[in-house]
PDB file of all heavy atoms in Angstrom:
ATOM      1  N   LEU F 235     131.678 125.802 149.222  1.00 91.00           N
ATOM      2  CA  LEU F 235     133.021 126.098 149.507  1.00 91.00           C
ATOM      3  C   LEU F 235     133.099 127.161 150.618  1.00 91.00           C
ATOM      4  O   LEU F 235     132.097 127.850 150.821  1.00 91.00           O
ATOM      5  CB  LEU F 235     133.672 126.701 148.277  1.00 91.00           C
ATOM      6  CG  LEU F 235     133.974 125.757 147.037  1.00 91.00           C
ATOM      7  CD1 LEU F 235     134.502 126.634 145.942  1.00 91.00           C
ATOM      8  CD2 LEU F 235     134.892 124.677 147.448  1.00 91.00           C
ATOM      9  N   ILE F 236     134.225 127.181 151.333  1.00 94.00           N
ATOM     10  CA  ILE F 236     134.401 128.220 152.336  1.00 94.00           C
ATOM     11  C   ILE F 236     135.231 129.267 151.593  1.00 94.00           C
ATOM     12  O   ILE F 236     136.311 129.069 151.217  1.00 94.00           O
ATOM     13  CB  ILE F 236     135.275 127.558 153.553  1.00 94.00           C
ATOM     14  CG1 ILE F 236     134.467 126.461 154.133  1.00 94.00           C
ATOM     15  CG2 ILE F 236     135.492 128.675 154.601  1.00 94.00           C
ATOM     16  CD1 ILE F 236     135.358 125.635 155.171  1.00 94.00           C
ATOM     17  N   VAL F 237     134.637 130.478 151.490  1.00 93.00           N
ATOM     18  CA  VAL F 237     135.202 131.482 150.779  1.00 93.00           C
ATOM     19  C   VAL F 237     135.584 132.720 151.650  1.00 93.00           C
ATOM     20  O   VAL F 237     134.868 133.015 152.615  1.00 93.00           O
ATOM     21  CB  VAL F 237     134.329 131.990 149.586  1.00 93.00           C
ATOM     22  CG1 VAL F 237     134.009 130.753 148.662  1.00 93.00           C
ATOM     23  CG2 VAL F 237     132.967 132.488 150.159  1.00 93.00           C
ATOM     24  N   PRO F 238     136.681 133.436 151.377  1.00 93.00           N
ATOM     25  CA  PRO F 238     137.036 134.598 152.139  1.00 93.00           C
ATOM     26  C   PRO F 238     136.043 135.766 151.793  1.00 93.00           C
ATOM     27  O   PRO F 238     135.948 136.135 150.644  1.00 93.00           O
ATOM     28  CB  PRO F 238     138.432 135.018 151.690  1.00 93.00           C
ATOM     29  CG  PRO F 238     138.579 134.354 150.344  1.00 93.00           C
ATOM     30  CD  PRO F 238     137.618 133.216 150.232  1.00 93.00           C
ATOM     31  N   ALA F 239     135.405 136.370 152.823  1.00 92.00           N
ATOM     32  CA  ALA F 239     134.519 137.507 152.747  1.00 92.00           C
ATOM     33  C   ALA F 239     135.240 138.842 152.981  1.00 92.00           C
ATOM     34  O   ALA F 239     134.881 139.862 152.423  1.00 92.00           O
ATOM     35  CB  ALA F 239     133.303 137.388 153.609  1.00 92.00           C
ATOM     36  N   TYR F 240     136.226 138.676 153.800  1.00 94.00           N
ATOM     37  CA  TYR F 240     137.037 140.017 154.218  1.00 94.00           C
ATOM     38  C   TYR F 240     138.386 139.494 154.715  1.00 94.00           C
ATOM     39  O   TYR F 240     138.511 138.509 155.446  1.00 94.00           O
ATOM     40  CB  TYR F 240     136.255 140.840 155.187  1.00 94.00           C
ATOM     41  CG  TYR F 240     137.158 142.106 155.546  1.00 94.00           C
ATOM     42  CD1 TYR F 240     137.094 143.116 154.585  1.00 94.00           C
ATOM     43  CD2 TYR F 240     137.954 142.245 156.697  1.00 94.00           C
ATOM     44  CE1 TYR F 240     137.863 144.303 154.826  1.00 94.00           C
ATOM     45  CE2 TYR F 240     138.614 143.348 156.951  1.00 94.00           C
ATOM     46  CZ  TYR F 240     138.548 144.387 156.013  1.00 94.00           C
ATOM     47  OH  TYR F 240     139.424 145.580 156.221  1.00 94.00           O
ATOM     48  N   VAL F 241     139.450 140.201 154.095  1.00 95.00           N
ATOM     49  CA  VAL F 241     140.872 139.879 154.692  1.00 95.00           C
ATOM     50  C   VAL F 241     141.464 141.110 155.034  1.00 95.00           C
ATOM     51  O   VAL F 241     141.412 142.146 154.384  1.00 95.00           O
ATOM     52  CB  VAL F 241     141.667 139.194 153.550  1.00 95.00           C
ATOM     53  CG1 VAL F 241     143.068 138.795 154.061  1.00 95.00           C
ATOM     54  CG2 VAL F 241     140.931 137.904 152.995  1.00 95.00           C
ATOM     55  N   ASP F 242     142.254 141.121 156.195  1.00 95.00           N
ATOM     56  CA  ASP F 242     143.022 142.300 156.721  1.00 95.00           C
ATOM     57  C   ASP F 242     144.374 141.856 157.008  1.00 95.00           C
ATOM     58  O   ASP F 242     144.516 140.857 157.783  1.00 95.00           O
ATOM     59  CB  ASP F 242     142.233 142.921 157.828  1.00 95.00           C
ATOM     60  CG  ASP F 242     143.033 144.068 158.301  1.00 95.00           C
ATOM     61  OD1 ASP F 242     143.054 145.188 157.596  1.00 95.00           O
ATOM     62  OD2 ASP F 242     143.562 144.090 159.449  1.00 95.00           O
ATOM     63  N   GLY F 243     145.368 142.562 156.536  1.00 94.00           N
ATOM     64  CA  GLY F 243     146.676 142.287 156.935  1.00 94.00           C
ATOM     65  C   GLY F 243     147.579 141.782 155.833  1.00 94.00           C
ATOM     66  O   GLY F 243     147.286 141.978 154.614  1.00 94.00           O
ATOM     67  N   GLU F 244     148.631 141.037 156.202  1.00 94.00           N
ATOM     68  CA  GLU F 244     149.661 140.492 155.139  1.00 94.00           C
ATOM     69  C   GLU F 244     148.972 139.519 154.259  1.00 94.00           C
ATOM     70  O   GLU F 244     148.066 138.682 154.595  1.00 94.00           O
ATOM     71  CB  GLU F 244     150.848 139.773 156.012  1.00 94.00           C
ATOM     72  CG  GLU F 244     151.679 140.739 156.902  1.00 94.00           C
ATOM     73  CD  GLU F 244     152.691 140.111 157.619  1.00 94.00           C
ATOM     74  OE1 GLU F 244     152.939 138.902 157.234  1.00 94.00           O
ATOM     75  OE2 GLU F 244     153.306 140.688 158.509  1.00 94.00           O
ATOM     76  N   ASN F 245     149.566 139.462 152.990  1.00 93.00           N
ATOM     77  CA  ASN F 245     149.152 138.474 152.082  1.00 93.00           C
ATOM     78  C   ASN F 245     147.570 138.558 151.698  1.00 93.00           C
ATOM     79  O   ASN F 245     146.994 137.564 151.304  1.00 93.00           O
ATOM     80  CB  ASN F 245     149.376 137.054 152.507  1.00 93.00           C
ATOM     81  CG  ASN F 245     150.913 136.921 152.723  1.00 93.00           C
ATOM     82  OD1 ASN F 245     151.806 137.263 151.938  1.00 93.00           O
ATOM     83  ND2 ASN F 245     151.216 136.437 153.964  1.00 93.00           N
ATOM     84  N   ALA F 246     147.028 139.812 151.879  1.00 92.00           N
ATOM     85  CA  ALA F 246     145.571 139.908 151.618  1.00 92.00           C
ATOM     86  C   ALA F 246     145.251 139.574 150.243  1.00 92.00           C
ATOM     87  O   ALA F 246     144.206 138.854 149.914  1.00 92.00           O
ATOM     88  CB  ALA F 246     145.127 141.323 151.978  1.00 92.00           C
ATOM     89  N   ASP F 247     145.979 140.026 149.186  1.00 90.00           N
ATOM     90  CA  ASP F 247     145.751 139.826 147.853  1.00 90.00           C
ATOM     91  C   ASP F 247     145.667 138.266 147.483  1.00 90.00           C
ATOM     92  O   ASP F 247     144.714 137.829 146.751  1.00 90.00           O
ATOM     93  CB  ASP F 247     146.840 140.369 146.959  1.00 90.00           C
ATOM     94  CG  ASP F 247     146.692 141.856 146.934  1.00 90.00           C
ATOM     95  OD1 ASP F 247     145.682 142.452 147.347  1.00 90.00           O
ATOM     96  OD2 ASP F 247     147.743 142.475 146.474  1.00 90.00           O
ATOM     97  N   MET F 248     146.586 137.484 148.041  1.00 91.00           N
ATOM     98  CA  MET F 248     146.444 136.033 147.814  1.00 91.00           C
ATOM     99  C   MET F 248     145.265 135.423 148.589  1.00 91.00           C
ATOM    100  O   MET F 248     144.476 134.535 147.937  1.00 91.00           O
ATOM    101  CB  MET F 248     147.693 135.404 148.316  1.00 91.00           C
ATOM    102  CG  MET F 248     147.872 133.876 147.954  1.00 91.00           C
ATOM    103  SD  MET F 248     147.094 132.854 149.246  1.00 91.00           S
ATOM    104  CE  MET F 248     148.306 133.052 150.575  1.00 91.00           C
ATOM    105  N   LEU F 249     145.197 135.781 149.779  1.00 92.00           N
ATOM    106  CA  LEU F 249     143.991 135.125 150.595  1.00 92.00           C
ATOM    107  C   LEU F 249     142.623 135.478 150.158  1.00 92.00           C
ATOM    108  O   LEU F 249     141.676 134.735 150.300  1.00 92.00           O
ATOM    109  CB  LEU F 249     144.171 135.510 152.088  1.00 92.00           C
ATOM    110  CG  LEU F 249     145.340 134.819 152.758  1.00 92.00           C
ATOM    111  CD1 LEU F 249     145.682 135.536 154.101  1.00 92.00           C
ATOM    112  CD2 LEU F 249     144.992 133.428 153.077  1.00 92.00           C
ATOM    113  N   GLU F 250     142.460 136.672 149.476  1.00 91.00           N
ATOM    114  CA  GLU F 250     141.135 136.990 148.941  1.00 91.00           C
ATOM    115  C   GLU F 250     140.752 136.043 147.850  1.00 91.00           C
ATOM    116  O   GLU F 250     139.487 136.023 147.495  1.00 91.00           O
ATOM    117  CB  GLU F 250     141.164 138.429 148.466  1.00 91.00           C
ATOM    118  CG  GLU F 250     141.172 139.457 149.602  1.00 91.00           C
ATOM    119  CD  GLU F 250     141.416 140.890 148.981  1.00 91.00           C
ATOM    120  OE1 GLU F 250     141.732 141.037 147.774  1.00 91.00           O
ATOM    121  OE2 GLU F 250     141.255 141.917 149.830  1.00 91.00           O
ATOM    122  N   ARG F 251     141.635 135.374 147.233  1.00 88.00           N
ATOM    123  CA  ARG F 251     141.306 134.402 146.095  1.00 88.00           C
ATOM    124  C   ARG F 251     141.242 132.945 146.643  1.00 88.00           C
ATOM    125  O   ARG F 251     140.938 132.052 145.805  1.00 88.00           O
ATOM    126  CB  ARG F 251     142.331 134.576 144.984  1.00 88.00           C
ATOM    127  CG  ARG F 251     142.389 135.961 144.406  1.00 88.00           C
ATOM    128  CD  ARG F 251     143.286 135.993 143.122  1.00 88.00           C
ATOM    129  NE  ARG F 251     144.708 135.538 143.530  1.00 88.00           N
ATOM    130  CZ  ARG F 251     145.635 136.409 143.872  1.00 88.00           C
ATOM    131  NH1 ARG F 251     145.416 137.672 143.963  1.00 88.00           N
ATOM    132  NH2 ARG F 251     146.865 135.920 143.982  1.00 88.00           N
ATOM    133  N   LYS F 252     141.520 132.784 147.944  1.00 88.00           N
ATOM    134  CA  LYS F 252     141.678 131.408 148.347  1.00 88.00           C
ATOM    135  C   LYS F 252     140.246 130.830 148.763  1.00 88.00           C
ATOM    136  O   LYS F 252     139.439 131.512 149.218  1.00 88.00           O
ATOM    137  CB  LYS F 252     142.522 131.404 149.638  1.00 88.00           C
ATOM    138  CG  LYS F 252     142.779 130.055 150.240  1.00 88.00           C
ATOM    139  CD  LYS F 252     143.641 130.282 151.480  1.00 88.00           C
ATOM    140  CE  LYS F 252     144.006 128.854 152.169  1.00 88.00           C
ATOM    141  NZ  LYS F 252     144.507 127.908 151.114  1.00 88.00           N
ATOM    142  N   THR F 253     140.050 129.474 148.449  1.00 90.00           N
ATOM    143  CA  THR F 253     138.899 128.800 148.924  1.00 90.00           C
ATOM    144  C   THR F 253     139.266 127.435 149.648  1.00 90.00           C
ATOM    145  O   THR F 253     140.353 126.947 149.364  1.00 90.00           O
ATOM    146  CB  THR F 253     137.919 128.501 147.833  1.00 90.00           C
ATOM    147  OG1 THR F 253     138.584 127.597 146.816  1.00 90.00           O
ATOM    148  CG2 THR F 253     137.511 129.794 147.060  1.00 90.00           C
ATOM    149  N   LEU F 254     138.418 127.027 150.486  1.00 91.00           N
ATOM    150  CA  LEU F 254     138.569 125.744 151.259  1.00 91.00           C
ATOM    151  C   LEU F 254     137.297 124.953 151.214  1.00 91.00           C
ATOM    152  O   LEU F 254     136.238 125.553 150.937  1.00 91.00           O
ATOM    153  CB  LEU F 254     139.046 125.966 152.662  1.00 91.00           C
ATOM    154  CG  LEU F 254     140.428 126.707 152.915  1.00 91.00           C
ATOM    155  CD1 LEU F 254     140.438 127.211 154.279  1.00 91.00           C
ATOM    156  CD2 LEU F 254     141.522 125.712 152.729  1.00 91.00           C
ATOM    157  N   ARG F 255     137.439 123.657 151.437  1.00 90.00           N
ATOM    158  CA  ARG F 255     136.245 122.867 151.553  1.00 90.00           C
ATOM    159  C   ARG F 255     135.954 122.536 153.044  1.00 90.00           C
ATOM    160  O   ARG F 255     136.828 122.648 153.884  1.00 90.00           O
ATOM    161  CB  ARG F 255     136.359 121.563 150.734  1.00 90.00           C
ATOM    162  CG  ARG F 255     136.455 121.782 149.201  1.00 90.00           C
ATOM    163  CD  ARG F 255     136.619 120.484 148.440  1.00 90.00           C
ATOM    164  NE  ARG F 255     136.850 120.693 147.057  1.00 90.00           N
ATOM    165  CZ  ARG F 255     135.844 121.045 146.211  1.00 90.00           C
ATOM    166  NH1 ARG F 255     134.624 121.069 146.668  1.00 90.00           N
ATOM    167  NH2 ARG F 255     136.171 121.320 144.906  1.00 90.00           N
ATOM    168  N   ARG F 256     134.752 122.165 153.390  1.00 90.00           N
ATOM    169  CA  ARG F 256     134.419 121.799 154.759  1.00 90.00           C
ATOM    170  C   ARG F 256     135.383 120.583 155.091  1.00 90.00           C
ATOM    171  O   ARG F 256     135.474 119.543 154.434  1.00 90.00           O
ATOM    172  CB  ARG F 256     132.991 121.361 154.831  1.00 90.00           C
ATOM    173  CG  ARG F 256     132.064 122.677 154.768  1.00 90.00           C
ATOM    174  CD  ARG F 256     130.617 122.224 155.002  1.00 90.00           C
ATOM    175  NE  ARG F 256     130.377 121.709 156.297  1.00 90.00           N
ATOM    176  CZ  ARG F 256     129.090 121.703 156.815  1.00 90.00           C
ATOM    177  NH1 ARG F 256     128.060 122.192 156.167  1.00 90.00           N
ATOM    178  NH2 ARG F 256     128.959 121.207 158.131  1.00 90.00           N
ATOM    179  N   GLY F 257     135.929 120.727 156.286  1.00 91.00           N
ATOM    180  CA  GLY F 257     136.853 119.709 156.817  1.00 91.00           C
ATOM    181  C   GLY F 257     138.216 119.800 156.305  1.00 91.00           C
ATOM    182  O   GLY F 257     139.089 119.026 156.777  1.00 91.00           O
ATOM    183  N   GLU F 258     138.508 120.689 155.438  1.00 92.00           N
ATOM    184  CA  GLU F 258     139.841 120.904 154.876  1.00 92.00           C
ATOM    185  C   GLU F 258     140.638 121.928 155.673  1.00 92.00           C
ATOM    186  O   GLU F 258     140.156 123.064 155.863  1.00 92.00           O
ATOM    187  CB  GLU F 258     139.708 121.340 153.356  1.00 92.00           C
ATOM    188  CG  GLU F 258     141.056 121.459 152.665  1.00 92.00           C
ATOM    189  CD  GLU F 258     140.898 121.893 151.252  1.00 92.00           C
ATOM    190  OE1 GLU F 258     140.043 122.683 150.986  1.00 92.00           O
ATOM    191  OE2 GLU F 258     141.654 121.370 150.391  1.00 92.00           O
ATOM    192  N   GLY F 259     141.937 121.558 156.031  1.00 93.00           N
ATOM    193  CA  GLY F 259     142.794 122.507 156.825  1.00 93.00           C
ATOM    194  C   GLY F 259     142.195 122.857 158.155  1.00 93.00           C
ATOM    195  O   GLY F 259     141.148 122.300 158.674  1.00 93.00           O
ATOM    196  N   LEU F 260     142.837 123.821 158.844  1.00 94.00           N
ATOM    197  CA  LEU F 260     142.366 124.261 160.065  1.00 94.00           C
ATOM    198  C   LEU F 260     141.011 124.946 160.002  1.00 94.00           C
ATOM    199  O   LEU F 260     140.141 124.629 160.774  1.00 94.00           O
ATOM    200  CB  LEU F 260     143.319 125.271 160.638  1.00 94.00           C
ATOM    201  CG  LEU F 260     144.848 124.845 160.971  1.00 94.00           C
ATOM    202  CD1 LEU F 260     145.662 126.008 161.434  1.00 94.00           C
ATOM    203  CD2 LEU F 260     144.771 123.712 161.983  1.00 94.00           C
ATOM    204  N   THR F 261     140.795 125.855 159.126  1.00 96.00           N
ATOM    205  CA  THR F 261     139.623 126.454 158.923  1.00 96.00           C
ATOM    206  C   THR F 261     138.418 125.582 158.659  1.00 96.00           C
ATOM    207  O   THR F 261     137.339 125.581 159.249  1.00 96.00           O
ATOM    208  CB  THR F 261     139.632 127.565 157.833  1.00 96.00           C
ATOM    209  OG1 THR F 261     140.684 128.562 158.175  1.00 96.00           O
ATOM    210  CG2 THR F 261     138.431 128.235 157.560  1.00 96.00           C
ATOM    211  N   GLY F 262     138.592 124.677 157.719  1.00 95.00           N
ATOM    212  CA  GLY F 262     137.574 123.672 157.375  1.00 95.00           C
ATOM    213  C   GLY F 262     137.265 122.824 158.515  1.00 95.00           C
ATOM    214  O   GLY F 262     136.074 122.362 158.728  1.00 95.00           O
ATOM    215  N   TRP F 263     138.291 122.422 159.267  1.00 95.00           N
ATOM    216  CA  TRP F 263     138.059 121.495 160.492  1.00 95.00           C
ATOM    217  C   TRP F 263     137.218 122.187 161.490  1.00 95.00           C
ATOM    218  O   TRP F 263     136.285 121.670 162.035  1.00 95.00           O
ATOM    219  CB  TRP F 263     139.407 120.997 160.962  1.00 95.00           C
ATOM    220  CG  TRP F 263     139.257 119.923 162.151  1.00 95.00           C
ATOM    221  CD1 TRP F 263     139.264 118.689 161.903  1.00 95.00           C
ATOM    222  CD2 TRP F 263     139.048 120.276 163.517  1.00 95.00           C
ATOM    223  NE1 TRP F 263     139.134 117.940 163.085  1.00 95.00           N
ATOM    224  CE2 TRP F 263     138.911 118.938 164.076  1.00 95.00           C
ATOM    225  CE3 TRP F 263     138.898 121.260 164.271  1.00 95.00           C
ATOM    226  CZ2 TRP F 263     138.712 118.764 165.484  1.00 95.00           C
ATOM    227  CZ3 TRP F 263     138.687 121.224 165.647  1.00 95.00           C
ATOM    228  CH2 TRP F 263     138.616 119.896 166.186  1.00 95.00           C
ATOM    229  N   ALA F 264     137.593 123.458 161.797  1.00 95.00           N
ATOM    230  CA  ALA F 264     136.819 124.210 162.808  1.00 95.00           C
ATOM    231  C   ALA F 264     135.424 124.431 162.470  1.00 95.00           C
ATOM    232  O   ALA F 264     134.551 124.288 163.232  1.00 95.00           O
ATOM    233  CB  ALA F 264     137.575 125.583 163.027  1.00 95.00           C
ATOM    234  N   LEU F 265     135.238 124.658 161.169  1.00 95.00           N
ATOM    235  CA  LEU F 265     133.825 124.886 160.607  1.00 95.00           C
ATOM    236  C   LEU F 265     132.992 123.515 160.729  1.00 95.00           C
ATOM    237  O   LEU F 265     131.790 123.540 161.289  1.00 95.00           O
ATOM    238  CB  LEU F 265     133.820 125.382 159.240  1.00 95.00           C
ATOM    239  CG  LEU F 265     132.489 125.575 158.552  1.00 95.00           C
ATOM    240  CD1 LEU F 265     131.777 126.859 159.067  1.00 95.00           C
ATOM    241  CD2 LEU F 265     132.558 125.648 157.076  1.00 95.00           C
ATOM    242  N   GLU F 266     133.691 122.473 160.376  1.00 94.00           N
ATOM    243  CA  GLU F 266     132.971 121.225 160.334  1.00 94.00           C
ATOM    244  C   GLU F 266     132.657 120.657 161.738  1.00 94.00           C
ATOM    245  O   GLU F 266     131.600 120.105 161.983  1.00 94.00           O
ATOM    246  CB  GLU F 266     133.745 120.161 159.611  1.00 94.00           C
ATOM    247  CG  GLU F 266     133.158 118.805 159.315  1.00 94.00           C
ATOM    248  CD  GLU F 266     132.067 118.787 158.375  1.00 94.00           C
ATOM    249  OE1 GLU F 266     131.942 119.749 157.615  1.00 94.00           O
ATOM    250  OE2 GLU F 266     131.389 117.808 158.253  1.00 94.00           O
ATOM    251  N   ASN F 267     133.574 120.849 162.590  1.00 94.00           N
ATOM    252  CA  ASN F 267     133.415 120.335 164.032  1.00 94.00           C
ATOM    253  C   ASN F 267     132.887 121.288 164.998  1.00 94.00           C
ATOM    254  O   ASN F 267     132.659 120.956 166.234  1.00 94.00           O
ATOM    255  CB  ASN F 267     134.853 119.767 164.493  1.00 94.00           C
ATOM    256  CG  ASN F 267     135.233 118.585 163.617  1.00 94.00           C
ATOM    257  OD1 ASN F 267     134.837 117.396 163.942  1.00 94.00           O
ATOM    258  ND2 ASN F 267     136.037 118.824 162.696  1.00 94.00           N
ATOM    259  N   GLY F 268     132.802 122.585 164.665  1.00 93.00           N
ATOM    260  CA  GLY F 268     132.227 123.704 165.550  1.00 93.00           C
ATOM    261  C   GLY F 268     133.115 123.883 166.781  1.00 93.00           C
ATOM    262  O   GLY F 268     132.643 124.112 167.842  1.00 93.00           O
ATOM    263  N   ARG F 269     134.407 123.746 166.648  1.00 94.00           N
ATOM    264  CA  ARG F 269     135.427 123.941 167.724  1.00 94.00           C
ATOM    265  C   ARG F 269     136.492 124.975 167.426  1.00 94.00           C
ATOM    266  O   ARG F 269     136.888 124.914 166.318  1.00 94.00           O
ATOM    267  CB  ARG F 269     135.970 122.655 168.196  1.00 94.00           C
ATOM    268  CG  ARG F 269     135.038 121.610 168.777  1.00 94.00           C
ATOM    269  CD  ARG F 269     135.574 120.237 168.990  1.00 94.00           C
ATOM    270  NE  ARG F 269     136.789 120.252 169.779  1.00 94.00           N
ATOM    271  CZ  ARG F 269     137.607 119.296 169.947  1.00 94.00           C
ATOM    272  NH1 ARG F 269     137.192 118.005 169.483  1.00 94.00           N
ATOM    273  NH2 ARG F 269     138.623 119.350 170.846  1.00 94.00           N
ATOM    274  N   THR F 270     136.844 125.709 168.403  1.00 95.00           N
ATOM    275  CA  THR F 270     137.964 126.712 168.262  1.00 95.00           C
ATOM    276  C   THR F 270     139.242 125.881 168.200  1.00 95.00           C
ATOM    277  O   THR F 270     139.587 125.037 168.975  1.00 95.00           O
ATOM    278  CB  THR F 270     137.970 127.772 169.322  1.00 95.00           C
ATOM    279  OG1 THR F 270     136.784 128.421 169.321  1.00 95.00           O
ATOM    280  CG2 THR F 270     139.093 128.756 169.234  1.00 95.00           C
ATOM    281  N   VAL F 271     140.194 126.273 167.365  1.00 94.00           N
ATOM    282  CA  VAL F 271     141.562 125.724 167.198  1.00 94.00           C
ATOM    283  C   VAL F 271     142.566 126.980 167.553  1.00 94.00           C
ATOM    284  O   VAL F 271     142.426 128.077 167.095  1.00 94.00           O
ATOM    285  CB  VAL F 271     141.844 125.233 165.795  1.00 94.00           C
ATOM    286  CG1 VAL F 271     143.224 124.658 165.746  1.00 94.00           C
ATOM    287  CG2 VAL F 271     140.866 124.162 165.422  1.00 94.00           C
ATOM    288  N   VAL F 272     143.473 126.765 168.348  1.00 95.00           N
ATOM    289  CA  VAL F 272     144.517 127.713 168.782  1.00 95.00           C
ATOM    290  C   VAL F 272     146.009 127.092 168.713  1.00 95.00           C
ATOM    291  O   VAL F 272     146.129 126.016 169.142  1.00 95.00           O
ATOM    292  CB  VAL F 272     144.272 128.181 170.213  1.00 95.00           C
ATOM    293  CG1 VAL F 272     145.375 129.077 170.687  1.00 95.00           C
ATOM    294  CG2 VAL F 272     142.954 128.991 170.317  1.00 95.00           C
TER     295      VAL F 272
END
């Protein structure tokens, strides 16, 4: 799983508990494909 190691800013409490899978969402896609998303 892709897990949050550090969160700073708004909604930190929620995001600290969040997980994603490779390829899932923007974060998972960027990790899987090795490309920056803006």
Side-chain angles (χ1 to χ4, degrees):
L235 293 174
I236 305 168
V237 299
Y240 182 75
V241 183
D242 179 68
E244 297 179 9
N245 304 307
D247 289 345
M248 184 276 288
L249 285 164
E250 285 171 352
R251 302 188 299 271
K252 181 178 181 56
T253 61
L254 293 160
R255 298 184 182 277
R256 288 183 63 161
E258 182 179 42
L260 297 177
T261 294
W263 188 91
L265 178 75
E266 184 73 12
N267 292 276
R269 292 172 57 187
T270 299
V271 181
V272 173

